[in-house]
Amino acid sequence: MRNLRWLSILSLLLLLALACNVPFAATGGQATQTASNIEFLAAQTITAQQLAATGTAVSQPSGATATAAGVDATNTAISLASTAQASSASATYAAQVAQATAYAQGSQSTAYAQSAQATAYAQSATATALAYFPPPPLPPPPQAPLPFPQPPQPQYNLIRISFPSGGTSANVDGQLRKGEGIDYVLRAGAGQVMLATIYSPNNNVYLGVVGLSDGVPLLRTAADSTQFSGVLPLDQDYRLIVFSPDQKSNYTLQVIIPARIKFARGAYSASVDGRVQGNSVNYYLLRASAGQTMSVAILSPHNDIFLTIYGMQDGSPLVRSVSGATTWSGILPGTQDYMIEAVSEGPNSNYTLQVAVH
């Protein structure tokens, strides 16, 4: 009986200890598991008490055996109580962890809520400030500068100049309106000399010369020049621009590409056969040095082709066609190209030009 009393006391103490250690803040799943463990331990304790009571009540041949059984039941109860306390401590720790986690999550949610509130307040304050103090309007984008007014550009037509058979020059007559221009095109070779002159009543029709392939200007119309003389750089078409900027005007364009007379190696004379149109001129160039003697003669069926000779550099005339000369001989004044003209004062005619320099 004494052992049964002690076993009852121990069972009550065990139940009180478990009741004190039951966590109130545990999460739902953990609390349910802990209660189930406690119920299981309590059932084992009651079973131990019943076994102890039964061991005491049952008549045994020896009281020592009943006492031994009671001691075993008591030890079993004590072991179960220790296990229940350990489970209770684990449940308490789990409940504390769950409570701390819930507190942390609550704090984080609070921080998010405060951050969202602060953001909303900042947006509201910004909107209010913009309502009272709107930003200044942006300056308009810069406008593209207006182009400078351009002077009227001449409108050009294209006309090809061709020399007559055997000829070395051509004359073209025309008329221009104010601000109008005409393009002429002439084929010439590298190294050839071209002479171009534009004649007009008031000398206000101007000339320009440009290589058609290379685009290199040899004379610009802006130079207000009526003459061009130069050695051509390439075999190509050359554009001759006739432009009247100020008024309507008639004009005559004269283009000359003289044939060059060359002596054979070791020779000091040459003979050239030609044909000239009636009342026109064929042109020849001959290079000679100062102090040399030059002799020139021109032969024609009707003796109506006459000579004009002058220096290209100094322009000094040696003989004029108006004198009716068909021959000339004299000492040359300078080292330069000399122009020899076969001037026709009759119909179309063949001729032979003879030149000697010694």
Side-chain angles (χ1 to χ4, degrees):
M1 293 297 293
R2 180 179 298 175
N3 291 332
L4 182 59
R5 186 179 299 112
W6 282 105
L7 184 59
S8 299
I9 293 172
L10 289 174
S11 298
L12 290 174
L13 291 175
L14 177 61
L15 291 174
L16 289 174
L18 291 175
C20 292
N21 288 328
V22 173
F24 294 98
T27 59
Q30 291 174 338
T32 303
Q33 183 178 3
T34 302
S36 298
N37 292 336
I38 293 171
E39 290 177 356
F40 175 73
L41 296 175
Q44 288 181 340
T45 302
I46 293 171
T47 302
Q49 291 176 349
Q50 291 175 352
L51 289 174
T54 302
T56 304
V58 175
S59 176
Q60 298 291 341
S62 174
T65 301
T67 301
V71 171
D72 290 339
T74 300
N75 291 336
T76 301
I78 291 173
S79 176
L80 293 173
S82 298
T83 302
Q85 288 178 350
S87 299
S88 176
S90 299
T92 301
Y93 176 74
Q96 290 174 351
V97 170
Q99 185 177 8
T101 301
Y103 178 77
Q105 292 176 347
S107 299
Q108 187 175 11
S109 299
T110 302
Y112 286 156
Q114 291 176 349
S115 176
Q117 185 178 4
T119 302
Y121 178 77
Q123 293 175 346
S124 176
T126 301
T128 303
L130 290 176
Y132 281 98
F133 305 100
L138 295 176
Q143 299 294 326
L146 295 176
F148 290 104
Q150 299 294 324
Q153 299 298 314
Q155 302 298 318
Y156 297 115
N157 302 314
L158 186 62
I159 301 173
R160 182 167 290 278
I161 297 175
S162 298
F163 292 168
S165 177
T168 59
S169 67
N171 291 347
V172 180
D173 297 328
Q175 186 181 75
L176 292 173
R177 293 189 295 267
K178 178 182 178 179
E180 185 181 27
I182 295 179
D183 260 3
Y184 294 94
V185 177
L186 177 68
R187 187 73 181 181
Q192 288 185 305
V193 174
M194 183 169 72
L195 308 172
T197 305
I198 188 79
Y199 302 98
S200 62
N202 298 316
N203 291 323
N204 59 355
V205 178
Y206 303 120
L207 180 65
V209 179
V210 180
L212 197 60
S213 296
D214 60 8
V216 175
L218 305 180
L219 176 66
R220 299 180 185 274
T221 55
D224 295 344
S225 177
T226 61
Q227 296 182 2
F228 169 78
S229 175
V231 179
L232 301 178
L234 296 174
D235 294 341
Q236 61 179 333
D237 280 337
Y238 288 89
R239 183 174 59 152
L240 287 82
I241 305 166
V242 179
F243 177 49
S244 179
D246 300 322
Q247 65 184 33
K248 178 180 178 180
S249 179
N250 297 324
Y251 67 89
T252 297
L253 173 63
Q254 182 186 58
V255 183
I256 302 171
I257 300 181
R260 184 168 290 278
I261 299 174
K262 295 182 179 180
F263 297 162
R265 182 180 295 274
Y268 60 89
S269 65
S271 180
V272 178
D273 294 330
R275 181 176 177 81
V276 64
Q277 300 294 313
N279 299 311
S280 62
V281 181
N282 280 352
Y283 300 85
Y284 298 89
L285 284 177
L286 176 67
R287 186 75 176 178
S289 300
Q292 287 183 313
T293 298
M294 182 169 71
S295 300
V296 181
I298 190 164
L299 307 175
S300 62
H302 304 286
N303 292 322
D304 55 359
I305 301 175
F306 307 110
L307 292 173
T308 294
I309 304 173
Y310 56 90
M312 287 293 294
Q313 183 174 338
D314 58 19
S316 60
L318 303 180
V319 64
R320 297 179 184 272
S321 62
V322 293
S323 65
T326 58
T327 63
W328 179 85
S329 182
I331 298 175
L332 300 178
T335 300
Q336 58 186 322
D337 278 338
Y338 287 89
M339 179 72 78
I340 301 173
E341 298 179 0
V343 181
S344 172
E345 293 186 2
N348 298 349
S349 178
N350 296 325
Y351 62 86
T352 299
L353 178 64
Q354 297 174 341
V355 181
V357 176
H358 51 82

